[in-house]
Amino acid sequence: MRDSSTAGTGNTAGTRNTARPSRRTVLAASAGATAALTVGGTSYAAPDDRHLSTLVSRMTLEEKVGQLFVTRVYGHSATAPDQADIDANLAELGVRTAAEVVAKYRVGGIIYFAWAHNTREPHQIADLSNGIQRASLEQPRGLPVLISTDQEHGIVCRVGKPATLFPGAMAMGAGRSRTDARTLGLVAGRELRAMGIRQNYSPVADVNVNPANPVIGVRSFGADPGAVAGLVAAEVAGYQRSRVAATAKHFPGHGDTAVDSHYGFPVINHTRAQWDELDAPPFRAAVRAGIDSIMTAHIMVPALDSSGDPATLSHPILTGILREKLGYDGVVVTDDLGMQGVREKYGDDRVPVLALKAGADQLLDPPSLAVAWNAVLKAVQDGELTEARLDESVLRVLRLKAKLGLFEEPYVSQAGVTATVGAKGHLAAADLIAERTTTLLVNEGRLLPLSRRTHPRVLVVGADPASPSGTTGPPTGVLAGALTELGFTATALSTGTAPSAATIARAVAAARDADAVVVGTYNVGATSAQKTLVEQLVATGKPVVAVAIRNPYDVAHLPSVPACLAAYSWTDVELRAAARVIAGRVAPRGKLPVPVQRADDPARVLYPVGHGLSYRT
């Protein structure tokens, strides 16, 4: 229950803006920013570089430091979050609300997370965004805030239904359509912008060449650098048309790691030539496409920098390669500074200073904002960082805000949310795109498509991982529901990612009463109990269809299954598309964007890039 007595600074929360603020209201709220841009008696609502430089020159040092930080904050409201979120803010940020974070630290950006309770539903998100903007613009020399999130689609999304959710990157790689990637960026960008989110940490530009990669995997478009580059550039173009900043990540390339940089410090041993051929092309394509921001990786690449520093803190990588060699002059944002990969070598007070010295502009979500903010301030006061160096990054950040229209229109309207987020045309586009991504890997005896006349009763079993992006789930239920809508009588039985012998026996017993079985698999390994489940279901003599709901590599461990599809994620849009393929409503058109190695001999390829069956052959 909301406790109104705990509200922080700013206007009373809970009052929803039901109409778009008038231009007069916007200009009044942004009076501080507008006044700072008044030169010779003329106000500039859409400032150019000269006026932005004037603004920077009038900022205090503390304000400049604040502009470089993008912080998390807990709560659904800028001024009246729930008590638990107030407590979390006090414990981690030393303030009670988002409005107080902005007032105390003058932060340039805020990142939204579902776990921080920022993204309950689109109208609430819009209210939160407006509250944050109002709190910032009411400050002396107030500036609009650049609000960001990770809306990659697929397995990483912060805003769930009713927003439109598209297939993830590897699924898009299977679809191979740059037009579809551009549509994703355009539609997703329009919906984010309607909710006040102007910077999206997507697309993933990493080339996933390591099947054991624990952190990228299906978040990558694939293993072919040229194909990944084309899809990255296309998605960037879509976001640019929507006036939302896309962010290519994770530079210089996180696709060949066996360590998750959230929990360890990955080392990539590519030679400089290998990096240039494999990892660099998508980032080059993003730069050529005019990408607005690029995110760093907390990885070590000795061939690019022998110091042992992570790329996020590497001047040779961020300045020498990204800025000078690739010619990029946009915003460089660090990956989350709370991740172990960037904290392995230096303390939390050194990391933000070293990131700025390396060439970063935005410092994303430090574990302690107070420690990081004060460390940067002290580094300037002590002469380790020059104020001119800060000015470079502040100008880049303000330049991006101006490009995105934040000085002209910092607020969003509830009417815009209603008209845009989850619009019927957007949802239909996502469904059509998903149909072009589902990949048929195995189809012995032309088992698929299933006919509702010959196989009317379908049992759906398998893994039910938690929803990755606010979709309805669970996967077995979504598949069963979709098949029922397509004319089958489908029932769901969740068996989990590690089914016990008793669970397997229950599934086998249920299969005997079905005409066919669909089993959703999730990261199957050589000793996985899911493999045993599939083998025992096949032994019943019933037709069995496996749907790999995350990594397509599952198929290598399922040699007995007569039919196997790759869906690349367990989000609703991809599962519904897989159901339509199973039922023959659409033909499978996806092609593997990564190779699948043999389980018994990983040096040999079982299915190459480009493999994908059709019902026509």
Side-chain angles (χ1 to χ4, degrees), residues 399-462:
R399 187 184 291 140
L400 180 54
K401 292 180 180 183
K403 178 181 178 181
L404 300 175
L406 276 166
F407 286 94
E408 300 165 284
E409 293 184 286
Y411 298 114
V412 294
S413 72
Q414 292 299 330
V417 173
T418 301
T420 306
V421 180
K424 288 183 178 179
H426 294 177
L427 296 172
D431 280 335
L432 289 173
I433 289 173
E435 289 178 355
R436 295 189 276 269
T437 69
T438 306
T439 307
L440 180 60
L441 302 174
V442 179
N443 193 22
E444 294 179 1
R446 296 192 178 184
L447 171 59
L448 293 178
L450 286 181
S451 168
R452 61 185 180 182
R453 290 183 294 276
T454 58
H455 300 87
R457 297 170 301 169
V458 178
L459 173 68
V460 180
V461 302

Short mmCIF file of all heavy atoms in Angstrom, two decimals, residues 399-462:
data_model
loop_
_atom_site.label_atom_id
_atom_site.label_comp_id
_atom_site.label_asym_id
_atom_site.label_seq_id
_atom_site.Cartn_x
_atom_site.Cartn_y
_atom_site.Cartn_z
N ARG A 399 24.49 16.76 -26.42
CA ARG A 399 24.26 16.70 -27.86
C ARG A 399 23.25 15.59 -28.19
O ARG A 399 22.37 15.77 -29.02
CB ARG A 399 25.58 16.46 -28.58
CG ARG A 399 25.50 16.54 -30.10
CD ARG A 399 26.85 16.20 -30.69
NE ARG A 399 27.85 17.22 -30.41
CZ ARG A 399 29.12 16.97 -30.08
NH1 ARG A 399 29.55 15.73 -29.98
NH2 ARG A 399 29.97 17.96 -29.87
N LEU A 400 23.39 14.45 -27.52
CA LEU A 400 22.45 13.35 -27.74
C LEU A 400 21.06 13.72 -27.25
O LEU A 400 20.06 13.43 -27.92
CB LEU A 400 22.95 12.09 -27.05
CG LEU A 400 22.07 10.84 -27.19
CD1 LEU A 400 21.78 10.53 -28.66
CD2 LEU A 400 22.73 9.64 -26.52
N LYS A 401 20.98 14.34 -26.11
CA LYS A 401 19.66 14.76 -25.60
C LYS A 401 18.98 15.72 -26.56
O LYS A 401 17.77 15.64 -26.81
CB LYS A 401 19.81 15.40 -24.22
CG LYS A 401 20.23 14.43 -23.12
CD LYS A 401 20.36 15.14 -21.77
CE LYS A 401 20.78 14.15 -20.69
NZ LYS A 401 20.84 14.77 -19.34
N ALA A 402 19.78 16.64 -27.12
CA ALA A 402 19.21 17.58 -28.08
C ALA A 402 18.75 16.87 -29.34
O ALA A 402 17.67 17.15 -29.87
CB ALA A 402 20.25 18.65 -28.43
N LYS A 403 19.54 15.92 -29.83
CA LYS A 403 19.17 15.18 -31.03
C LYS A 403 17.86 14.43 -30.84
O LYS A 403 17.05 14.32 -31.77
CB LYS A 403 20.29 14.19 -31.38
CG LYS A 403 19.98 13.32 -32.59
CD LYS A 403 21.11 12.35 -32.87
CE LYS A 403 20.77 11.43 -34.05
NZ LYS A 403 21.85 10.46 -34.34
N LEU A 404 17.64 13.92 -29.63
CA LEU A 404 16.43 13.13 -29.34
C LEU A 404 15.23 14.00 -29.01
O LEU A 404 14.15 13.48 -28.74
CB LEU A 404 16.72 12.18 -28.18
CG LEU A 404 17.84 11.17 -28.43
CD1 LEU A 404 18.11 10.36 -27.16
CD2 LEU A 404 17.50 10.25 -29.59
N GLY A 405 15.41 15.33 -29.03
CA GLY A 405 14.28 16.23 -28.80
C GLY A 405 13.92 16.46 -27.36
O GLY A 405 12.85 16.98 -27.06
N LEU A 406 14.83 16.12 -26.44
CA LEU A 406 14.49 16.25 -25.02
C LEU A 406 14.40 17.70 -24.56
O LEU A 406 13.69 17.98 -23.59
CB LEU A 406 15.50 15.48 -24.17
CG LEU A 406 15.21 13.99 -24.02
CD1 LEU A 406 16.42 13.26 -23.47
CD2 LEU A 406 14.00 13.77 -23.12
N PHE A 407 15.11 18.60 -25.21
CA PHE A 407 15.00 20.00 -24.83
C PHE A 407 13.67 20.59 -25.29
O PHE A 407 13.15 21.51 -24.67
CB PHE A 407 16.17 20.81 -25.41
CG PHE A 407 17.48 20.56 -24.71
CD1 PHE A 407 18.37 19.61 -25.19
CD2 PHE A 407 17.81 21.27 -23.57
CE1 PHE A 407 19.57 19.37 -24.55
CE2 PHE A 407 19.01 21.04 -22.92
CZ PHE A 407 19.90 20.08 -23.40
N GLU A 408 13.14 20.06 -26.38
CA GLU A 408 11.87 20.56 -26.91
C GLU A 408 10.67 19.87 -26.26
O GLU A 408 9.68 20.51 -25.93
CB GLU A 408 11.81 20.34 -28.41
CG GLU A 408 12.90 21.03 -29.20
CD GLU A 408 13.00 20.49 -30.61
OE1 GLU A 408 13.54 19.38 -30.79
OE2 GLU A 408 12.52 21.18 -31.52
N GLU A 409 10.77 18.54 -26.11
CA GLU A 409 9.64 17.76 -25.60
C GLU A 409 10.13 16.75 -24.56
O GLU A 409 10.29 15.57 -24.86
CB GLU A 409 8.94 17.02 -26.74
CG GLU A 409 8.24 17.92 -27.73
CD GLU A 409 7.48 17.11 -28.78
OE1 GLU A 409 8.14 16.53 -29.65
OE2 GLU A 409 6.24 17.05 -28.68
N PRO A 410 10.34 17.20 -23.35
CA PRO A 410 10.81 16.26 -22.33
C PRO A 410 9.72 15.35 -21.79
O PRO A 410 10.02 14.31 -21.21
CB PRO A 410 11.34 17.19 -21.23
CG PRO A 410 10.54 18.44 -21.39
CD PRO A 410 10.29 18.58 -22.86
N TYR A 411 8.47 15.75 -21.97
CA TYR A 411 7.37 14.98 -21.40
C TYR A 411 6.64 14.14 -22.44
O TYR A 411 6.73 14.39 -23.65
CB TYR A 411 6.35 15.93 -20.74
CG TYR A 411 6.92 16.73 -19.60
CD1 TYR A 411 7.03 18.11 -19.70
CD2 TYR A 411 7.35 16.11 -18.44
CE1 TYR A 411 7.56 18.86 -18.65
CE2 TYR A 411 7.87 16.84 -17.40
CZ TYR A 411 7.98 18.21 -17.50
OH TYR A 411 8.50 18.93 -16.47
N VAL A 412 5.93 13.13 -21.96
CA VAL A 412 5.10 12.29 -22.81
C VAL A 412 3.67 12.34 -22.29
O VAL A 412 3.42 12.79 -21.18
CB VAL A 412 5.61 10.83 -22.84
CG1 VAL A 412 6.97 10.76 -23.50
CG2 VAL A 412 5.66 10.24 -21.43
N SER A 413 2.74 11.86 -23.10
CA SER A 413 1.33 11.95 -22.73
C SER A 413 0.71 10.56 -22.58
O SER A 413 1.15 9.60 -23.21
CB SER A 413 0.55 12.73 -23.79
OG SER A 413 0.42 11.96 -24.97
N GLN A 414 -0.31 10.50 -21.77
CA GLN A 414 -1.03 9.24 -21.61
C GLN A 414 -1.75 8.86 -22.91
O GLN A 414 -1.85 7.67 -23.24
CB GLN A 414 -2.05 9.35 -20.47
CG GLN A 414 -1.40 9.47 -19.10
CD GLN A 414 -0.56 8.27 -18.74
OE1 GLN A 414 -0.83 7.16 -19.18
NE2 GLN A 414 0.49 8.48 -17.96
N ALA A 415 -2.21 9.86 -23.66
CA ALA A 415 -2.85 9.57 -24.94
C ALA A 415 -1.86 8.92 -25.89
O ALA A 415 -2.21 8.00 -26.65
CB ALA A 415 -3.42 10.86 -25.55
N GLY A 416 -0.62 9.38 -25.86
CA GLY A 416 0.40 8.78 -26.71
C GLY A 416 0.69 7.34 -26.34
O GLY A 416 0.92 6.49 -27.21
N VAL A 417 0.68 7.05 -25.05
CA VAL A 417 0.87 5.66 -24.61
C VAL A 417 -0.26 4.79 -25.13
O VAL A 417 -0.03 3.71 -25.70
CB VAL A 417 0.94 5.59 -23.07
CG1 VAL A 417 0.96 4.15 -22.59
CG2 VAL A 417 2.16 6.33 -22.55
N THR A 418 -1.48 5.24 -24.94
CA THR A 418 -2.64 4.45 -25.37
C THR A 418 -2.62 4.18 -26.86
O THR A 418 -2.93 3.07 -27.31
CB THR A 418 -3.94 5.19 -24.98
OG1 THR A 418 -3.96 5.38 -23.55
CG2 THR A 418 -5.17 4.40 -25.41
N ALA A 419 -2.25 5.17 -27.63
CA ALA A 419 -2.28 5.03 -29.09
C ALA A 419 -1.12 4.22 -29.64
O ALA A 419 -1.23 3.65 -30.73
CB ALA A 419 -2.28 6.43 -29.73
N THR A 420 -0.03 4.13 -28.89
CA THR A 420 1.20 3.58 -29.45
C THR A 420 1.59 2.23 -28.89
O THR A 420 1.94 1.31 -29.63
CB THR A 420 2.36 4.58 -29.24
OG1 THR A 420 2.00 5.85 -29.75
CG2 THR A 420 3.63 4.09 -29.91
N VAL A 421 1.59 2.09 -27.58
CA VAL A 421 2.17 0.91 -26.93
C VAL A 421 1.24 -0.29 -27.09
O VAL A 421 0.09 -0.26 -26.65
CB VAL A 421 2.45 1.18 -25.45
CG1 VAL A 421 3.06 -0.07 -24.79
CG2 VAL A 421 3.40 2.36 -25.30
N GLY A 422 1.74 -1.34 -27.73
CA GLY A 422 0.93 -2.53 -27.96
C GLY A 422 -0.17 -2.33 -28.99
O GLY A 422 -1.18 -3.05 -28.98
N ALA A 423 0.02 -1.39 -29.91
CA ALA A 423 -0.96 -1.15 -30.96
C ALA A 423 -1.16 -2.42 -31.80
O ALA A 423 -0.24 -3.21 -31.97
CB ALA A 423 -0.52 0.01 -31.85
N LYS A 424 -2.36 -2.61 -32.31
CA LYS A 424 -2.66 -3.83 -33.06
C LYS A 424 -1.70 -4.05 -34.23
O LYS A 424 -1.27 -5.17 -34.49
CB LYS A 424 -4.11 -3.79 -33.57
CG LYS A 424 -5.15 -3.97 -32.47
CD LYS A 424 -6.56 -3.99 -33.05
CE LYS A 424 -7.61 -4.22 -31.97
NZ LYS A 424 -8.99 -4.23 -32.52
N GLY A 425 -1.39 -3.00 -34.94
CA GLY A 425 -0.47 -3.13 -36.06
C GLY A 425 0.91 -3.56 -35.63
O GLY A 425 1.59 -4.32 -36.32
N HIS A 426 1.34 -3.07 -34.47
CA HIS A 426 2.65 -3.46 -33.94
C HIS A 426 2.66 -4.95 -33.57
O HIS A 426 3.61 -5.67 -33.88
CB HIS A 426 2.97 -2.63 -32.70
CG HIS A 426 3.18 -1.18 -32.98
ND1 HIS A 426 3.42 -0.25 -31.99
CD2 HIS A 426 3.18 -0.48 -34.14
CE1 HIS A 426 3.57 0.94 -32.52
NE2 HIS A 426 3.42 0.83 -33.83
N LEU A 427 1.61 -5.39 -32.89
CA LEU A 427 1.53 -6.79 -32.49
C LEU A 427 1.48 -7.71 -33.70
O LEU A 427 2.11 -8.78 -33.72
CB LEU A 427 0.31 -7.02 -31.60
CG LEU A 427 0.31 -6.27 -30.25
CD1 LEU A 427 -1.04 -6.43 -29.56
CD2 LEU A 427 1.43 -6.77 -29.35
N ALA A 428 0.75 -7.30 -34.71
CA ALA A 428 0.66 -8.11 -35.92
C ALA A 428 2.01 -8.19 -36.62
O ALA A 428 2.40 -9.25 -37.13
CB ALA A 428 -0.39 -7.51 -36.87
N ALA A 429 2.75 -7.08 -36.63
CA ALA A 429 4.08 -7.09 -37.24
C ALA A 429 5.01 -8.05 -36.51
O ALA A 429 5.78 -8.79 -37.14
CB ALA A 429 4.67 -5.68 -37.24
N ALA A 430 4.94 -8.07 -35.19
CA ALA A 430 5.79 -8.97 -34.40
C ALA A 430 5.46 -10.43 -34.70
O ALA A 430 6.35 -11.27 -34.81
CB ALA A 430 5.63 -8.67 -32.91
N ASP A 431 4.17 -10.75 -34.82
CA ASP A 431 3.76 -12.12 -35.13
C ASP A 431 4.28 -12.56 -36.51
O ASP A 431 4.77 -13.67 -36.68
CB ASP A 431 2.24 -12.25 -35.08
CG ASP A 431 1.71 -12.40 -33.65
OD1 ASP A 431 2.48 -12.87 -32.78
OD2 ASP A 431 0.55 -12.04 -33.42
N LEU A 432 4.15 -11.68 -37.50
CA LEU A 432 4.62 -12.02 -38.84
C LEU A 432 6.13 -12.21 -38.89
O LEU A 432 6.64 -13.13 -39.54
CB LEU A 432 4.19 -10.94 -39.83
CG LEU A 432 2.69 -10.89 -40.17
CD1 LEU A 432 2.38 -9.66 -41.02
CD2 LEU A 432 2.26 -12.16 -40.88
N ILE A 433 6.84 -11.34 -38.18
CA ILE A 433 8.30 -11.48 -38.14
C ILE A 433 8.68 -12.78 -37.47
O ILE A 433 9.58 -13.50 -37.93
CB ILE A 433 8.92 -10.26 -37.43
CG1 ILE A 433 8.80 -9.02 -38.32
CG2 ILE A 433 10.38 -10.52 -37.06
CD1 ILE A 433 9.21 -7.73 -37.65
N ALA A 434 8.01 -13.12 -36.38
CA ALA A 434 8.32 -14.36 -35.66
C ALA A 434 8.13 -15.58 -36.55
O ALA A 434 8.90 -16.55 -36.47
CB ALA A 434 7.46 -14.47 -34.41
N GLU A 435 7.12 -15.56 -37.39
CA GLU A 435 6.87 -16.69 -38.29
C GLU A 435 8.04 -16.93 -39.24
O GLU A 435 8.26 -18.06 -39.69
CB GLU A 435 5.60 -16.44 -39.09
CG GLU A 435 4.33 -16.55 -38.27
CD GLU A 435 3.08 -16.24 -39.09
OE1 GLU A 435 3.24 -15.85 -40.28
OE2 GLU A 435 1.97 -16.36 -38.55
N ARG A 436 8.78 -15.87 -39.54
CA ARG A 436 9.90 -16.00 -40.47
C ARG A 436 11.19 -16.43 -39.78
O ARG A 436 12.23 -16.57 -40.44
CB ARG A 436 10.10 -14.67 -41.21
CG ARG A 436 8.94 -14.30 -42.11
CD ARG A 436 9.25 -13.12 -42.99
NE ARG A 436 9.04 -11.83 -42.37
CZ ARG A 436 7.90 -11.14 -42.40
NH1 ARG A 436 6.84 -11.65 -43.02
NH2 ARG A 436 7.79 -9.96 -41.82
N THR A 437 11.14 -16.65 -38.45
CA THR A 437 12.35 -16.99 -37.72
C THR A 437 12.40 -18.45 -37.27
O THR A 437 13.48 -19.00 -37.07
CB THR A 437 12.50 -16.11 -36.47
OG1 THR A 437 11.50 -16.43 -35.50
CG2 THR A 437 12.40 -14.63 -36.83
N THR A 438 11.24 -19.08 -37.08
CA THR A 438 11.21 -20.46 -36.58
C THR A 438 11.96 -21.38 -37.54
O THR A 438 11.72 -21.37 -38.74
CB THR A 438 9.76 -20.95 -36.42
OG1 THR A 438 9.04 -20.01 -35.61
CG2 THR A 438 9.73 -22.32 -35.75
N THR A 439 12.86 -22.19 -36.98
CA THR A 439 13.77 -22.99 -37.80
C THR A 439 13.50 -24.48 -37.59
O THR A 439 13.55 -24.96 -36.45
CB THR A 439 15.23 -22.68 -37.46
OG1 THR A 439 15.44 -21.26 -37.55
CG2 THR A 439 16.18 -23.39 -38.40
N LEU A 440 13.22 -25.19 -38.69
CA LEU A 440 13.01 -26.63 -38.63
C LEU A 440 14.35 -27.32 -38.85
O LEU A 440 14.92 -27.25 -39.94
CB LEU A 440 11.99 -27.06 -39.69
CG LEU A 440 11.65 -28.55 -39.75
CD1 LEU A 440 11.06 -29.04 -38.43
CD2 LEU A 440 10.68 -28.81 -40.91
N LEU A 441 14.84 -28.00 -37.83
CA LEU A 441 16.15 -28.63 -37.88
C LEU A 441 16.08 -30.10 -38.29
O LEU A 441 16.94 -30.59 -39.01
CB LEU A 441 16.84 -28.52 -36.52
CG LEU A 441 17.03 -27.09 -35.99
CD1 LEU A 441 17.59 -27.12 -34.57
CD2 LEU A 441 17.94 -26.30 -36.90
N VAL A 442 15.07 -30.81 -37.81
CA VAL A 442 14.90 -32.23 -38.09
C VAL A 442 13.44 -32.49 -38.39
O VAL A 442 12.56 -31.94 -37.71
CB VAL A 442 15.33 -33.09 -36.87
CG1 VAL A 442 15.14 -34.58 -37.16
CG2 VAL A 442 16.78 -32.80 -36.48
N ASN A 443 13.18 -33.34 -39.39
CA ASN A 443 11.78 -33.69 -39.70
C ASN A 443 11.76 -35.05 -40.39
O ASN A 443 11.46 -35.18 -41.57
CB ASN A 443 11.14 -32.62 -40.59
CG ASN A 443 9.63 -32.79 -40.67
OD1 ASN A 443 9.02 -33.39 -39.79
ND2 ASN A 443 9.02 -32.24 -41.72
N GLU A 444 12.07 -36.09 -39.63
CA GLU A 444 12.14 -37.44 -40.17
C GLU A 444 10.74 -37.94 -40.55
O GLU A 444 9.78 -37.78 -39.80
CB GLU A 444 12.76 -38.38 -39.14
CG GLU A 444 14.23 -38.06 -38.85
CD GLU A 444 14.81 -39.00 -37.81
OE1 GLU A 444 14.08 -39.90 -37.33
OE2 GLU A 444 15.99 -38.83 -37.46
N GLY A 445 10.68 -38.54 -41.73
CA GLY A 445 9.40 -39.08 -42.19
C GLY A 445 8.34 -38.02 -42.39
O GLY A 445 7.14 -38.34 -42.41
N ARG A 446 8.78 -36.77 -42.51
CA ARG A 446 7.83 -35.65 -42.67
C ARG A 446 6.75 -35.69 -41.60
O ARG A 446 5.55 -35.53 -41.87
CB ARG A 446 7.21 -35.67 -44.07
CG ARG A 446 8.24 -35.45 -45.17
CD ARG A 446 7.60 -35.19 -46.51
NE ARG A 446 8.61 -34.93 -47.54
CZ ARG A 446 8.33 -34.59 -48.79
NH1 ARG A 446 7.06 -34.51 -49.18
NH2 ARG A 446 9.29 -34.37 -49.65
N LEU A 447 7.20 -35.87 -40.36
CA LEU A 447 6.26 -35.87 -39.24
C LEU A 447 5.51 -34.54 -39.17
O LEU A 447 4.30 -34.50 -38.88
CB LEU A 447 7.03 -36.12 -37.94
CG LEU A 447 6.25 -35.94 -36.63
CD1 LEU A 447 5.05 -36.89 -36.58
CD2 LEU A 447 7.17 -36.16 -35.44
N LEU A 448 6.22 -33.47 -39.40
CA LEU A 448 5.59 -32.15 -39.39
C LEU A 448 5.24 -31.73 -40.81
O LEU A 448 5.95 -32.07 -41.76
CB LEU A 448 6.54 -31.13 -38.77
CG LEU A 448 6.84 -31.30 -37.28
CD1 LEU A 448 7.82 -30.24 -36.80
CD2 LEU A 448 5.56 -31.25 -36.45
N PRO A 449 4.14 -31.00 -40.97
CA PRO A 449 3.28 -30.48 -39.91
C PRO A 449 2.33 -31.54 -39.35
O PRO A 449 1.94 -32.46 -40.07
CB PRO A 449 2.51 -29.36 -40.61
CG PRO A 449 2.44 -29.81 -42.04
CD PRO A 449 3.74 -30.49 -42.31
N LEU A 450 1.97 -31.36 -38.09
CA LEU A 450 0.99 -32.24 -37.48
C LEU A 450 -0.41 -31.88 -37.98
O LEU A 450 -0.73 -30.70 -38.14
CB LEU A 450 1.00 -32.10 -35.95
CG LEU A 450 2.16 -32.72 -35.17
CD1 LEU A 450 1.93 -32.48 -33.67
CD2 LEU A 450 2.29 -34.21 -35.45
N SER A 451 -1.20 -32.90 -38.19
CA SER A 451 -2.60 -32.67 -38.60
C SER A 451 -3.51 -32.85 -37.39
O SER A 451 -3.39 -33.82 -36.64
CB SER A 451 -3.00 -33.67 -39.69
OG SER A 451 -4.39 -33.64 -39.88
N ARG A 452 -4.43 -31.93 -37.23
CA ARG A 452 -5.37 -32.06 -36.11
C ARG A 452 -6.37 -33.19 -36.34
O ARG A 452 -7.05 -33.61 -35.42
CB ARG A 452 -6.12 -30.74 -35.90
CG ARG A 452 -6.94 -30.30 -37.09
CD ARG A 452 -7.54 -28.92 -36.86
NE ARG A 452 -8.34 -28.49 -38.00
CZ ARG A 452 -8.94 -27.32 -38.10
NH1 ARG A 452 -8.83 -26.46 -37.10
NH2 ARG A 452 -9.64 -27.01 -39.16
N ARG A 453 -6.42 -33.69 -37.58
CA ARG A 453 -7.30 -34.82 -37.86
C ARG A 453 -6.65 -36.14 -37.46
O ARG A 453 -7.29 -37.03 -36.92
CB ARG A 453 -7.68 -34.84 -39.34
CG ARG A 453 -8.62 -33.69 -39.74
CD ARG A 453 -9.04 -33.79 -41.18
NE ARG A 453 -7.89 -33.59 -42.09
CZ ARG A 453 -7.46 -32.40 -42.47
NH1 ARG A 453 -8.06 -31.31 -42.02
NH2 ARG A 453 -6.44 -32.29 -43.30
N THR A 454 -5.34 -36.26 -37.73
CA THR A 454 -4.65 -37.52 -37.40
C THR A 454 -4.01 -37.50 -36.02
O THR A 454 -3.74 -38.55 -35.45
CB THR A 454 -3.57 -37.82 -38.46
OG1 THR A 454 -2.65 -36.72 -38.50
CG2 THR A 454 -4.20 -38.02 -39.83
N HIS A 455 -3.73 -36.30 -35.50
CA HIS A 455 -3.11 -36.18 -34.17
C HIS A 455 -3.85 -35.11 -33.36
O HIS A 455 -3.27 -34.08 -32.99
CB HIS A 455 -1.63 -35.79 -34.31
CG HIS A 455 -0.81 -36.77 -35.08
ND1 HIS A 455 -0.69 -36.72 -36.45
CD2 HIS A 455 -0.07 -37.82 -34.67
CE1 HIS A 455 0.10 -37.71 -36.85
NE2 HIS A 455 0.49 -38.39 -35.79
N PRO A 456 -5.13 -35.37 -33.05
CA PRO A 456 -5.92 -34.31 -32.40
C PRO A 456 -5.51 -34.03 -30.96
O PRO A 456 -5.62 -32.90 -30.49
CB PRO A 456 -7.35 -34.84 -32.48
CG PRO A 456 -7.20 -36.32 -32.56
CD PRO A 456 -5.96 -36.56 -33.36
N ARG A 457 -5.04 -35.05 -30.25
CA ARG A 457 -4.71 -34.87 -28.83
C ARG A 457 -3.19 -34.72 -28.68
O ARG A 457 -2.43 -35.63 -29.00
CB ARG A 457 -5.19 -36.06 -28.01
CG ARG A 457 -6.71 -36.25 -28.02
CD ARG A 457 -7.07 -37.59 -27.37
NE ARG A 457 -6.43 -38.72 -28.08
CZ ARG A 457 -6.41 -39.95 -27.62
NH1 ARG A 457 -6.96 -40.25 -26.45
NH2 ARG A 457 -5.81 -40.91 -28.33
N VAL A 458 -2.78 -33.55 -28.21
CA VAL A 458 -1.35 -33.23 -28.09
C VAL A 458 -1.00 -32.97 -26.63
O VAL A 458 -1.67 -32.19 -25.95
CB VAL A 458 -0.96 -32.01 -28.94
CG1 VAL A 458 0.52 -31.68 -28.77
CG2 VAL A 458 -1.28 -32.27 -30.42
N LEU A 459 0.02 -33.64 -26.16
CA LEU A 459 0.57 -33.38 -24.83
C LEU A 459 1.79 -32.48 -24.97
O LEU A 459 2.69 -32.77 -25.75
CB LEU A 459 0.98 -34.69 -24.14
CG LEU A 459 1.72 -34.55 -22.81
CD1 LEU A 459 0.80 -33.99 -21.73
CD2 LEU A 459 2.31 -35.89 -22.38
N VAL A 460 1.80 -31.39 -24.24
CA VAL A 460 2.94 -30.46 -24.24
C VAL A 460 3.64 -30.57 -22.90
O VAL A 460 3.04 -30.30 -21.85
CB VAL A 460 2.51 -29.01 -24.50
CG1 VAL A 460 3.73 -28.10 -24.50
CG2 VAL A 460 1.75 -28.89 -25.81
N VAL A 461 4.90 -30.98 -22.92
CA VAL A 461 5.68 -31.10 -21.69
C VAL A 461 6.97 -30.30 -21.87
O VAL A 461 7.26 -29.80 -22.95
CB VAL A 461 6.04 -32.57 -21.38
CG1 VAL A 461 4.78 -33.41 -21.25
CG2 VAL A 461 6.97 -33.16 -22.44
N GLY A 462 7.73 -30.20 -20.79
CA GLY A 462 9.05 -29.59 -20.93
C GLY A 462 9.36 -28.54 -19.90
O GLY A 462 8.67 -28.38 -18.88
#
